[in-house]
Amino acid sequence: MRPIGVFGGTFDPIHCGHLRTAFELWQELKLAEVRFVPTGSPPHRDHLYASAELRLAMVGAAIADQPGFVLDDREVRRSGVSYSVDTLADLRREYPQRSLCLLLGMDAFLGLPNWHRWRELLTLAHIVVAHRPGWRAPGKGPLGEILVDHGTGAIRDLHERPAGCLLVHAVTQLEISSTELRALIVAGRDPRYLVPDAVRQIILETRCYAAQQGP
Ligand code: ATP
């Protein structure tokens, strides 16, 4: 059975950088599916802009026509702060033998040592790090160590074991971030081509980001 990719994020909003990364990893790593898991209450951010309901709707609309892309709302349904380790433990209970791959951008990977019980993540899943513009893989510190201890260059390892490997994989670099997108929308500019049309429609109709700008 091919691995399941788990792609968490605030997705506030989801954009083409997320989608292209997930698509390339799905194809190149031969994943059975990519589960998009929008965070409920994220531990690392003061607040979110669009509601959980809207962020789910935007992810749902963005991935609707892509086979293998799945929306997973478990973190939004769970009360309290969302921790990836709990999500992966949940998925591990559902799929005891299956290979699970936590998909991260390089910026998220560099922040990993601040995550709740982060060292347990590799006991539950593999970690796949997508190169992101402007970021370099660390050579030392705790992340440098796990790269040495768990690093692999072989996609095959992700298929043959359920968890425990760390793979850094290059993806097409699209310099898009949700923060910059929100700023662009607040400034009255059009996010066309940075987000899928269906997401742009939701943003325009609900004014979920423009509303932040005040009177
Ligand atoms: P923000 O600007 O609000 O921090 P973001 O654009 O980084 O948001 P998140 O929802 O926080 O989006 O990111 C979810 C995941 O997607 C993280 O693992 C992040 O590294 C990755 N990611 C975000 N933007 C890109 C991009 N342009 N290319 C590749 N990966 C990305």
Side-chain angles (χ1 to χ4, degrees):
M1 290 260 258
R2 288 180 293 144
I4 295 176
V6 181
F7 195 26
T10 49
F11 301 127
D12 194 15
I14 188 162
H15 53 67
C16 296
H18 298 129
L19 291 159
R20 184 68 204 176
T21 296
F23 183 70
E24 290 185 13
L25 293 177
W26 175 69
Q27 285 202 313
E28 289 166 25
L29 307 184
K30 302 198 170 18
L31 304 176
E33 63 183 44
V34 174
R35 280 177 181 240
F36 289 75
V37 191
T39 19
S41 305
H44 304 123
R45 283 260 292 261
D46 290 337
H47 75 291
L48 294 168
Y49 296 85
S51 66
E53 201 180 298
L54 267 181
R55 290 182 294 111
L56 282 173
M58 289 190 279
V59 175
I63 67 177
D65 64 354
Q66 176 53 47
F69 280 13
V70 176
L71 175 61
D72 185 325
D73 66 355
R74 74 185 65 218
E75 290 194 3
V76 167
R77 279 188 282 109
R78 193 190 298 147
S79 57
V81 173
S82 300
Y83 292 117
S84 297
V85 69
D86 296 328
T87 301
L88 290 178
D90 250 27
L91 285 166
R92 183 47 76 207
R93 276 190 289 275
E94 274 174 48
Y95 301 98
Q97 315 290 343
R98 193 78 179 261
S99 165
L100 299 175
C101 296
L102 178 66
L103 312 180
L104 298 176
M106 184 60 83
D107 63 319
F109 176 63
L110 293 178
L112 206 63
N114 302 319
W115 289 23
H116 186 54
R117 292 165 39 208
W118 72 277
R119 287 184 187 274
E120 287 172 47
L121 295 171
L122 276 167
T123 66
L124 294 163
H126 302 295
I127 295 179
V128 173
V129 184
H131 271 301
R132 202 178 164 182
W135 302 88
R136 279 174 63 92
K140 50 186 189 207
L143 293 177
E145 280 162 33
I146 66 160
L147 270 164
V148 170
D149 294 344
H150 296 269
T152 179
I155 292 170
R156 195 181 57 242
D157 288 340
L158 306 180
H159 288 251
E160 290 178 352
R161 299 178 209 173
C165 299
L166 178 58
L167 181 93
V168 179
H169 192 83
V171 296
T172 300
Q173 315 234 307
L174 293 175
E175 183 67 277
I176 306 172
S177 79
S178 300
T179 304
E180 283 169 21
L181 262 171
R182 290 192 304 268
L184 176 149
I185 295 161
V186 167
R189 290 164 57 208
D190 190 334
R192 188 187 279 271
Y193 306 133
L194 298 173
V195 298
D197 281 346
V199 173
R200 174 174 172 269
Q201 275 311 320
I202 294 174
I203 292 171
L204 296 183
E205 277 164 22
T206 63
R207 297 180 52 80
C208 55
Y209 300 114
Q212 310 293 325
Q213 65 192 314

